[in-house]
């Protein structure tokens, strides 16, 4: 399924990549399954004018597929240059395969904890990219941006850790608006789910 969807989009996003650098805070690359993205999009479709950010985008599956499905603007950031290089190649081959297709797609090589959230960005996606400490600093920085430019913002978490959930629910104004179980990937695994939080 993932191979054929990649092929249809003209991209290559499968596989894993351990990050052999710097810090145990940074998790390895593995793409969100398309079936999971389809569950999210069925439950909460992106809206015209949304600007999605994928924190730790790897080879770019989430920004490319989101822009393809909804014509929205999508930004992917990742600290790993090798993955980002593949994301750029994927963007080029996607544009060749789907010339008339939709939204703007932007990739940027940076550490998430250094990234300044832009006032037009309002949907933020996380598939276990990094440690709780980094997640906290990203969220606090995001809340600053939301205070400076008030707007509604959604956080989408796939396969969330208990630590992420506890932090969001105890220490931030984000409220959980939806839980989407993904039982078809692993029946007895309760972590196999998407949580959506909203503020504003
Ligand atoms: C589990 S993968 C998720 C890939 C992509 N978001 C998806 O769902 O298809 C986590 C990604 O986060 C990136 N990452 C880890 N720590 C990071 C950091 N501090 N800043 C930016 N990216 C980071 C890794 O390089 C890896 O590509």
């Amino acid at each position: 399924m993932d191979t054929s969807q990649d092929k249809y989009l003209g991209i290559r996003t499968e596989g894993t990549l351990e990050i052999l650098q710097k810090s145990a805070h940074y998790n390895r690359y593995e793409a969100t399954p398309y079936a999971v993205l389809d569950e999210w999009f069925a439950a909460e479709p992106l809206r015209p004018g949304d600007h999605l950010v994928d924190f730790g985008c790897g080879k770019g599956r989430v920004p490319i597929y989101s822009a393809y499905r909804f014509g929205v603007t999508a930004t992917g950031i990742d600290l790993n240059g090798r993955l980002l290089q593949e994301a750029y190649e994927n963007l080029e081959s996607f544009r060749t395969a789907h010339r008339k297709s939709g939204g703007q797609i932007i990739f940027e090589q940076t550490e998430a904890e250094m990234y300044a959230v832009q006032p037009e960005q309002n949907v933020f996606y996380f598939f276990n990219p990094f440690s709780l400490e980094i997640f906290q600093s990203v969220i606090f920085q995001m809340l600053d941006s939301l205070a400076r430019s008030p707007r509604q913002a959604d956080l989408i978490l796939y396969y969330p850790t208990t630590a992420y959930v506890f932090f969001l629910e105890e220490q931030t104004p984000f409220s959980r608006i939806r839980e989407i179980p993904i039982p078809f990937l692993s029946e007895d695994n309760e972590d196999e789910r998407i949580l959506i939080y909203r503020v504003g």
Side-chain angles (χ1 to χ4, degrees):
M1 156 70 184
D2 281 13
T3 308
S4 57
Q5 188 63 269
D6 259 10
K7 205 165 173 191
Y8 174 74
L9 292 170
I11 63 180
R12 290 178 182 202
T13 57
E14 291 186 289
T16 58
L17 183 75
E18 296 293 341
I19 308 181
L20 298 173
Q21 66 203 30
K22 286 198 208 166
S23 166
H25 286 283
Y26 303 157
N27 295 340
R28 69 169 190 176
Y29 173 71
E30 181 188 348
T32 303
Y34 284 104
V36 170
L37 297 176
D38 287 337
E39 290 291 317
W40 161 25
F41 295 153
E44 283 289 324
L46 295 175
R47 298 145 295 200
D50 278 348
H51 185 154
L52 167 84
V53 182
D54 181 12
F55 281 94
C57 66
K59 301 179 188 180
R61 177 183 294 185
V62 176
I64 292 173
Y65 191 47
S66 309
Y68 169 75
R69 282 283 307 266
F70 297 102
V72 297
T73 300
T75 293
I77 62 162
D78 205 288
L79 51 72
N80 186 287
R82 201 170 125 196
L83 289 167
L84 248 284
Q85 182 56 37
E86 291 190 50
Y88 284 121
E89 286 164 17
N90 280 330
L91 178 55
E92 211 176 306
S93 53
F94 167 69
R95 290 291 183 215
T96 307
H98 296 272
R99 285 187 189 284
K100 291 193 178 140
S101 183
Q104 196 187 357
I105 300 167
I106 303 148
F107 290 116
E108 193 174 323
Q109 186 178 355
T110 176
E111 293 170 1
E113 54 275 36
M114 304 301 289
Y115 183 70
V117 169
Q118 303 298 304
E120 63 280 6
Q121 296 172 336
N122 65 330
V123 182
F124 303 99
Y125 181 75
F126 299 84
F127 169 25
N128 274 340
F130 29 64
S131 67
L132 174 66
E133 288 80 352
I134 296 180
F135 184 64
Q136 288 173 325
S137 88
V138 168
I139 297 296
F140 286 136
Q141 206 276 122
M142 185 185 294
L143 288 170
D144 273 355
S145 163
L146 295 172
R148 269 181 274 115
S149 308
R151 60 201 187 273
Q152 182 177 289
D154 285 0
L155 290 187
I156 319 295
L157 308 186
Y158 169 51
Y159 211 94
T161 63
T162 317
Y164 272 33
V165 171
F166 192 76
F167 161 67
L168 279 181
E169 297 187 358
E170 299 296 320
Q171 291 182 48
T172 77
F174 281 100
S175 307
R176 191 192 292 199
I177 59 158
R178 215 178 240 279
E179 170 165 6
I180 308 164
I182 318 273
F184 52 84
L185 285 183
S186 171
E187 246 175 48
D188 299 325
N189 184 351
E190 286 180 2
D191 294 332
E192 204 46 91
R193 60 183 177 154
I194 295 170
L195 294 180
I196 303 184
Y197 290 85
R198 181 166 290 167
V199 72

